[in-house]
Structures are given as structure tokens and as C-alpha cells.
PDB file of all heavy atoms in Angstrom:
ATOM      1  N   VAL N  54       2.778  -0.046   8.930  1.00  0.00           N
ATOM      2  CA  VAL N  54       3.454  -0.612  10.153  1.00  0.00           C
ATOM      3  C   VAL N  54       3.229   0.319  11.304  1.00  0.00           C
ATOM      4  O   VAL N  54       3.215   1.577  11.127  1.00  0.00           O
ATOM      5  CB  VAL N  54       5.019  -0.679   9.868  1.00  0.00           C
ATOM      6  CG1 VAL N  54       5.735  -1.217  11.091  1.00  0.00           C
ATOM      7  CG2 VAL N  54       5.306  -1.638   8.709  1.00  0.00           C
ATOM      8  N   VAL N  55       2.927  -0.197  12.442  1.00  0.00           N
ATOM      9  CA  VAL N  55       2.643   0.524  13.638  1.00  0.00           C
ATOM     10  C   VAL N  55       3.631   0.205  14.759  1.00  0.00           C
ATOM     11  O   VAL N  55       4.338  -0.834  14.657  1.00  0.00           O
ATOM     12  CB  VAL N  55       1.157   0.302  14.119  1.00  0.00           C
ATOM     13  CG1 VAL N  55       0.231   0.807  13.063  1.00  0.00           C
ATOM     14  CG2 VAL N  55       0.938  -1.134  14.458  1.00  0.00           C
ATOM     15  N   GLN N  56       3.640   1.035  15.757  1.00  0.00           N
ATOM     16  CA  GLN N  56       4.564   0.821  16.860  1.00  0.00           C
ATOM     17  C   GLN N  56       4.124  -0.359  17.760  1.00  0.00           C
ATOM     18  O   GLN N  56       2.924  -0.522  18.024  1.00  0.00           O
ATOM     19  CB  GLN N  56       4.679   2.080  17.770  1.00  0.00           C
ATOM     20  CG  GLN N  56       5.393   3.223  17.094  1.00  0.00           C
ATOM     21  CD  GLN N  56       6.880   2.879  16.924  1.00  0.00           C
ATOM     22  OE1 GLN N  56       7.547   2.396  17.794  1.00  0.00           O
ATOM     23  NE2 GLN N  56       7.415   3.252  15.665  1.00  0.00           N
ATOM     24  N   PRO N  57       5.066  -1.162  18.225  1.00  0.00           N
ATOM     25  CA  PRO N  57       4.667  -2.250  19.106  1.00  0.00           C
ATOM     26  C   PRO N  57       4.249  -1.811  20.517  1.00  0.00           C
ATOM     27  O   PRO N  57       4.750  -0.743  20.938  1.00  0.00           O
ATOM     28  CB  PRO N  57       5.943  -3.124  19.183  1.00  0.00           C
ATOM     29  CG  PRO N  57       7.074  -2.138  18.920  1.00  0.00           C
ATOM     30  CD  PRO N  57       6.472  -1.155  17.959  1.00  0.00           C
ATOM     31  N   THR N  58       3.370  -2.533  21.121  1.00  0.00           N
ATOM     32  CA  THR N  58       3.056  -2.252  22.517  1.00  0.00           C
ATOM     33  C   THR N  58       4.219  -2.697  23.371  1.00  0.00           C
ATOM     34  O   THR N  58       5.055  -3.453  22.935  1.00  0.00           O
ATOM     35  CB  THR N  58       1.708  -3.031  22.904  1.00  0.00           C
ATOM     36  OG1 THR N  58       2.026  -4.426  22.897  1.00  0.00           O
ATOM     37  CG2 THR N  58       0.596  -2.629  21.994  1.00  0.00           C
ATOM     38  N   PRO N  59       4.200  -2.245  24.704  1.00  0.00           N
ATOM     39  CA  PRO N  59       5.279  -2.753  25.536  1.00  0.00           C
ATOM     40  C   PRO N  59       5.368  -4.234  25.586  1.00  0.00           C
ATOM     41  O   PRO N  59       6.474  -4.854  25.674  1.00  0.00           O
ATOM     42  CB  PRO N  59       4.876  -2.173  26.891  1.00  0.00           C
ATOM     43  CG  PRO N  59       4.166  -0.882  26.540  1.00  0.00           C
ATOM     44  CD  PRO N  59       3.374  -1.257  25.293  1.00  0.00           C
ATOM     45  N   GLU N  60       4.211  -4.988  25.575  1.00  0.00           N
ATOM     46  CA  GLU N  60       4.238  -6.425  25.644  1.00  0.00           C
ATOM     47  C   GLU N  60       4.816  -7.051  24.413  1.00  0.00           C
ATOM     48  O   GLU N  60       5.581  -7.917  24.385  1.00  0.00           O
ATOM     49  CB  GLU N  60       2.782  -6.881  25.800  1.00  0.00           C
ATOM     50  CG  GLU N  60       2.548  -8.373  25.735  1.00  0.00           C
ATOM     51  CD  GLU N  60       3.113  -9.150  26.900  1.00  0.00           C
ATOM     52  OE1 GLU N  60       3.433  -8.544  27.886  1.00  0.00           O
ATOM     53  OE2 GLU N  60       3.189 -10.399  26.776  1.00  0.00           O
ATOM     54  N   GLU N  61       4.434  -6.458  23.250  1.00  0.00           N
ATOM     55  CA  GLU N  61       4.961  -6.951  21.922  1.00  0.00           C
ATOM     56  C   GLU N  61       6.448  -6.648  21.892  1.00  0.00           C
ATOM     57  O   GLU N  61       7.215  -7.562  21.438  1.00  0.00           O
ATOM     58  CB  GLU N  61       4.212  -6.289  20.819  1.00  0.00           C
ATOM     59  CG  GLU N  61       2.803  -6.710  20.668  1.00  0.00           C
ATOM     60  CD  GLU N  61       1.959  -5.804  19.856  1.00  0.00           C
ATOM     61  OE1 GLU N  61       2.368  -4.620  19.553  1.00  0.00           O
ATOM     62  OE2 GLU N  61       0.850  -6.157  19.352  1.00  0.00           O
ATOM     63  N   ALA N  62       6.892  -5.455  22.362  1.00  0.00           N
ATOM     64  CA  ALA N  62       8.326  -5.205  22.252  1.00  0.00           C
ATOM     65  C   ALA N  62       9.104  -6.140  23.257  1.00  0.00           C
ATOM     66  O   ALA N  62      10.261  -6.451  22.898  1.00  0.00           O
ATOM     67  CB  ALA N  62       8.504  -3.719  22.708  1.00  0.00           C
ATOM     68  N   PHE N  63       8.515  -6.469  24.303  1.00  0.00           N
ATOM     69  CA  PHE N  63       9.090  -7.356  25.260  1.00  0.00           C
ATOM     70  C   PHE N  63       9.500  -8.672  24.556  1.00  0.00           C
ATOM     71  O   PHE N  63      10.584  -9.263  24.877  1.00  0.00           O
ATOM     72  CB  PHE N  63       8.294  -7.602  26.529  1.00  0.00           C
ATOM     73  CG  PHE N  63       8.841  -8.591  27.460  1.00  0.00           C
ATOM     74  CD1 PHE N  63       9.823  -8.235  28.427  1.00  0.00           C
ATOM     75  CD2 PHE N  63       8.501  -9.934  27.524  1.00  0.00           C
ATOM     76  CE1 PHE N  63      10.393  -9.089  29.297  1.00  0.00           C
ATOM     77  CE2 PHE N  63       9.066 -10.832  28.393  1.00  0.00           C
ATOM     78  CZ  PHE N  63      10.008 -10.406  29.270  1.00  0.00           C
ATOM     79  N   TRP N  64       8.703  -9.187  23.693  1.00  0.00           N
ATOM     80  CA  TRP N  64       8.888 -10.453  23.038  1.00  0.00           C
ATOM     81  C   TRP N  64       9.651 -10.175  21.675  1.00  0.00           C
ATOM     82  O   TRP N  64       9.572 -11.059  20.736  1.00  0.00           O
ATOM     83  CB  TRP N  64       7.638 -11.181  22.799  1.00  0.00           C
ATOM     84  CG  TRP N  64       7.045 -11.737  24.056  1.00  0.00           C
ATOM     85  CD1 TRP N  64       5.887 -11.286  24.700  1.00  0.00           C
ATOM     86  CD2 TRP N  64       7.628 -12.722  24.984  1.00  0.00           C
ATOM     87  NE1 TRP N  64       5.719 -11.953  25.853  1.00  0.00           N
ATOM     88  CE2 TRP N  64       6.735 -12.929  26.000  1.00  0.00           C
ATOM     89  CE3 TRP N  64       8.725 -13.535  24.825  1.00  0.00           C
ATOM     90  CZ2 TRP N  64       6.977 -13.839  27.065  1.00  0.00           C
ATOM     91  CZ3 TRP N  64       8.989 -14.475  25.864  1.00  0.00           C
ATOM     92  CH2 TRP N  64       8.142 -14.527  26.896  1.00  0.00           C
ATOM     93  N   GLY N  65      10.289  -9.062  21.576  1.00  0.00           N
ATOM     94  CA  GLY N  65      11.142  -8.861  20.398  1.00  0.00           C
ATOM     95  C   GLY N  65      10.470  -8.395  19.105  1.00  0.00           C
ATOM     96  O   GLY N  65      11.098  -8.509  18.037  1.00  0.00           O
ATOM     97  N   ALA N  66       9.255  -7.881  19.158  1.00  0.00           N
ATOM     98  CA  ALA N  66       8.567  -7.401  17.976  1.00  0.00           C
ATOM     99  C   ALA N  66       9.034  -6.020  17.632  1.00  0.00           C
ATOM    100  O   ALA N  66       8.627  -5.040  18.235  1.00  0.00           O
ATOM    101  CB  ALA N  66       7.054  -7.395  18.177  1.00  0.00           C
ATOM    102  N   GLY N  67      10.132  -5.929  16.760  1.00  0.00           N
ATOM    103  CA  GLY N  67      10.623  -4.616  16.369  1.00  0.00           C
ATOM    104  C   GLY N  67       9.595  -3.854  15.512  1.00  0.00           C
ATOM    105  O   GLY N  67       9.742  -2.612  15.518  1.00  0.00           O
ATOM    106  N   LYS N  68       8.709  -4.557  14.869  1.00  0.00           N
ATOM    107  CA  LYS N  68       7.708  -3.859  14.116  1.00  0.00           C
ATOM    108  C   LYS N  68       6.421  -4.668  14.215  1.00  0.00           C
ATOM    109  O   LYS N  68       6.437  -5.879  14.468  1.00  0.00           O
ATOM    110  CB  LYS N  68       8.082  -3.712  12.693  1.00  0.00           C
ATOM    111  CG  LYS N  68       8.107  -4.990  11.829  1.00  0.00           C
ATOM    112  CD  LYS N  68       8.334  -4.725  10.383  1.00  0.00           C
ATOM    113  CE  LYS N  68       8.327  -6.007   9.565  1.00  0.00           C
ATOM    114  NZ  LYS N  68       8.454  -5.715   8.097  1.00  0.00           N
ATOM    115  N   VAL N  69       5.327  -3.998  14.042  1.00  0.00           N
ATOM    116  CA  VAL N  69       4.008  -4.599  14.025  1.00  0.00           C
ATOM    117  C   VAL N  69       3.293  -4.230  12.724  1.00  0.00           C
ATOM    118  O   VAL N  69       3.048  -3.062  12.488  1.00  0.00           O
ATOM    119  CB  VAL N  69       3.166  -4.186  15.206  1.00  0.00           C
ATOM    120  CG1 VAL N  69       1.741  -4.816  15.166  1.00  0.00           C
ATOM    121  CG2 VAL N  69       3.815  -4.568  16.534  1.00  0.00           C
ATOM    122  N   GLU N  70       2.971  -5.204  11.909  1.00  0.00           N
ATOM    123  CA  GLU N  70       2.274  -4.917  10.657  1.00  0.00           C
ATOM    124  C   GLU N  70       0.837  -4.713  10.930  1.00  0.00           C
ATOM    125  O   GLU N  70       0.216  -5.466  11.702  1.00  0.00           O
ATOM    126  CB  GLU N  70       2.454  -6.097   9.667  1.00  0.00           C
ATOM    127  CG  GLU N  70       3.914  -6.325   9.279  1.00  0.00           C
ATOM    128  CD  GLU N  70       4.152  -7.567   8.518  1.00  0.00           C
ATOM    129  OE1 GLU N  70       3.190  -8.343   8.256  1.00  0.00           O
ATOM    130  OE2 GLU N  70       5.330  -7.844   8.135  1.00  0.00           O
ATOM    131  N   SER N  71       0.194  -3.711  10.257  1.00  0.00           N
ATOM    132  CA  SER N  71      -1.252  -3.457  10.452  1.00  0.00           C
ATOM    133  C   SER N  71      -1.983  -3.859   9.155  1.00  0.00           C
ATOM    134  O   SER N  71      -1.626  -3.510   8.055  1.00  0.00           O
ATOM    135  CB  SER N  71      -1.394  -1.946  10.787  1.00  0.00           C
ATOM    136  OG  SER N  71      -2.809  -1.702  10.999  1.00  0.00           O
ATOM    137  N   TYR N  72      -3.111  -4.545   9.369  1.00  0.00           N
ATOM    138  CA  TYR N  72      -3.932  -4.973   8.262  1.00  0.00           C
ATOM    139  C   TYR N  72      -5.405  -4.566   8.479  1.00  0.00           C
ATOM    140  O   TYR N  72      -5.834  -4.449   9.606  1.00  0.00           O
ATOM    141  CB  TYR N  72      -3.856  -6.508   8.170  1.00  0.00           C
ATOM    142  CG  TYR N  72      -2.504  -7.041   7.705  1.00  0.00           C
ATOM    143  CD1 TYR N  72      -1.504  -7.204   8.679  1.00  0.00           C
ATOM    144  CD2 TYR N  72      -2.219  -7.283   6.411  1.00  0.00           C
ATOM    145  CE1 TYR N  72      -0.213  -7.656   8.290  1.00  0.00           C
ATOM    146  CE2 TYR N  72      -0.996  -7.739   6.015  1.00  0.00           C
ATOM    147  CZ  TYR N  72       0.029  -7.976   7.027  1.00  0.00           C
ATOM    148  OH  TYR N  72       1.279  -8.325   6.622  1.00  0.00           O
ATOM    149  N   LYS N  73      -6.126  -4.345   7.409  1.00  0.00           N
ATOM    150  CA  LYS N  73      -7.459  -3.922   7.414  1.00  0.00           C
ATOM    151  C   LYS N  73      -8.376  -4.955   6.774  1.00  0.00           C
ATOM    152  O   LYS N  73      -7.986  -5.511   5.750  1.00  0.00           O
ATOM    153  CB  LYS N  73      -7.676  -2.620   6.664  1.00  0.00           C
ATOM    154  CG  LYS N  73      -9.023  -1.924   6.872  1.00  0.00           C
ATOM    155  CD  LYS N  73      -9.070  -0.515   6.273  1.00  0.00           C
ATOM    156  CE  LYS N  73     -10.374   0.167   6.528  1.00  0.00           C
ATOM    157  NZ  LYS N  73     -10.391   1.488   5.926  1.00  0.00           N
ATOM    158  N   CYS N  74      -9.426  -5.288   7.468  1.00  0.00           N
ATOM    159  CA  CYS N  74     -10.356  -6.316   6.941  1.00  0.00           C
ATOM    160  C   CYS N  74     -11.093  -5.878   5.730  1.00  0.00           C
ATOM    161  O   CYS N  74     -11.651  -4.775   5.680  1.00  0.00           O
ATOM    162  CB  CYS N  74     -11.342  -6.778   8.048  1.00  0.00           C
ATOM    163  SG  CYS N  74     -12.476  -8.102   7.552  1.00  0.00           S
ATOM    164  N   GLN N  75     -11.217  -6.761   4.718  1.00  0.00           N
ATOM    165  CA  GLN N  75     -11.973  -6.409   3.517  1.00  0.00           C
ATOM    166  C   GLN N  75     -13.467  -6.478   3.762  1.00  0.00           C
ATOM    167  O   GLN N  75     -14.244  -5.938   2.940  1.00  0.00           O
ATOM    168  CB  GLN N  75     -11.571  -7.384   2.365  1.00  0.00           C
ATOM    169  CG  GLN N  75     -10.133  -7.342   2.020  1.00  0.00           C
ATOM    170  CD  GLN N  75      -9.750  -8.353   0.859  1.00  0.00           C
ATOM    171  OE1 GLN N  75     -10.630  -9.155   0.508  1.00  0.00           O
ATOM    172  NE2 GLN N  75      -8.527  -8.311   0.479  1.00  0.00           N
ATOM    173  N   ASN N  76     -13.882  -7.171   4.822  1.00  0.00           N
ATOM    174  CA  ASN N  76     -15.315  -7.313   5.116  1.00  0.00           C
ATOM    175  C   ASN N  76     -15.784  -6.282   6.097  1.00  0.00           C
ATOM    176  O   ASN N  76     -16.653  -5.462   5.805  1.00  0.00           O
ATOM    177  CB  ASN N  76     -15.572  -8.773   5.554  1.00  0.00           C
ATOM    178  CG  ASN N  76     -17.001  -9.059   5.889  1.00  0.00           C
ATOM    179  OD1 ASN N  76     -17.881  -8.465   5.168  1.00  0.00           O
ATOM    180  ND2 ASN N  76     -17.318  -9.793   6.890  1.00  0.00           N
ATOM    181  N   CYS N  77     -15.242  -6.372   7.352  1.00  0.00           N
ATOM    182  CA  CYS N  77     -15.832  -5.547   8.402  1.00  0.00           C
ATOM    183  C   CYS N  77     -15.085  -4.213   8.581  1.00  0.00           C
ATOM    184  O   CYS N  77     -15.494  -3.291   9.314  1.00  0.00           O
ATOM    185  CB  CYS N  77     -15.822  -6.309   9.705  1.00  0.00           C
ATOM    186  SG  CYS N  77     -14.243  -6.621  10.465  1.00  0.00           S
ATOM    187  N   GLY N  78     -13.879  -4.061   7.988  1.00  0.00           N
ATOM    188  CA  GLY N  78     -13.082  -2.830   8.042  1.00  0.00           C
ATOM    189  C   GLY N  78     -12.306  -2.670   9.243  1.00  0.00           C
ATOM    190  O   GLY N  78     -11.577  -1.653   9.412  1.00  0.00           O
ATOM    191  N   LYS N  79     -12.314  -3.589  10.183  1.00  0.00           N
ATOM    192  CA  LYS N  79     -11.543  -3.487  11.412  1.00  0.00           C
ATOM    193  C   LYS N  79     -10.123  -3.793  11.175  1.00  0.00           C
ATOM    194  O   LYS N  79      -9.731  -4.530  10.152  1.00  0.00           O
ATOM    195  CB  LYS N  79     -12.158  -4.332  12.534  1.00  0.00           C
ATOM    196  CG  LYS N  79     -13.520  -3.926  12.960  1.00  0.00           C
ATOM    197  CD  LYS N  79     -13.949  -4.824  14.125  1.00  0.00           C
ATOM    198  CE  LYS N  79     -15.362  -4.301  14.665  1.00  0.00           C
ATOM    199  NZ  LYS N  79     -15.843  -5.105  15.806  1.00  0.00           N
ATOM    200  N   LYS N  80      -9.218  -3.323  12.020  1.00  0.00           N
ATOM    201  CA  LYS N  80      -7.778  -3.534  11.939  1.00  0.00           C
ATOM    202  C   LYS N  80      -7.302  -4.694  12.727  1.00  0.00           C
ATOM    203  O   LYS N  80      -7.731  -4.871  13.885  1.00  0.00           O
ATOM    204  CB  LYS N  80      -7.003  -2.186  12.268  1.00  0.00           C
ATOM    205  CG  LYS N  80      -7.348  -1.031  11.337  1.00  0.00           C
ATOM    206  CD  LYS N  80      -6.574   0.222  11.752  1.00  0.00           C
ATOM    207  CE  LYS N  80      -6.897   1.388  10.818  1.00  0.00           C
ATOM    208  NZ  LYS N  80      -6.230   2.590  11.286  1.00  0.00           N
ATOM    209  N   THR N  81      -6.302  -5.379  12.133  1.00  0.00           N
ATOM    210  CA  THR N  81      -5.670  -6.482  12.876  1.00  0.00           C
ATOM    211  C   THR N  81      -4.224  -6.330  12.866  1.00  0.00           C
ATOM    212  O   THR N  81      -3.590  -5.944  11.923  1.00  0.00           O
ATOM    213  CB  THR N  81      -6.033  -7.854  12.068  1.00  0.00           C
ATOM    214  OG1 THR N  81      -7.378  -8.102  12.181  1.00  0.00           O
ATOM    215  CG2 THR N  81      -5.236  -8.998  12.684  1.00  0.00           C
TER     216      THR N  81
END
């Protein structure tokens, strides 16, 4: 879990789940 950006927090995102791609390795 990562910290929300100000924009995400504005829309009530108390937490942001972080995921890693099994193919390209980038984070979503």
C-alpha cells in the first residue's frame, strides 16, 4: 500500500494499493 496523491486523497482514497506487472515489471 502506498500513500495517495493529493488528487486521489481529494476523492476519498484513504489508501492506494500498489501492484506489479508479471510481464513488464511496471507498477500500477
Side-chain angles (χ1 to χ4, degrees):
V54 178
V55 296
Q56 288 296 315
T58 66
E60 173 71 12
E61 291 165 342
F63 177 80
W64 292 110
K68 70 172 183 177
V69 177
E70 299 171 357
S71 183
Y72 293 83
K73 190 173 182 179
C74 180
Q75 297 177 358
N76 181 35
C77 69
K79 293 184 178 179
K80 295 179 181 179
T81 294

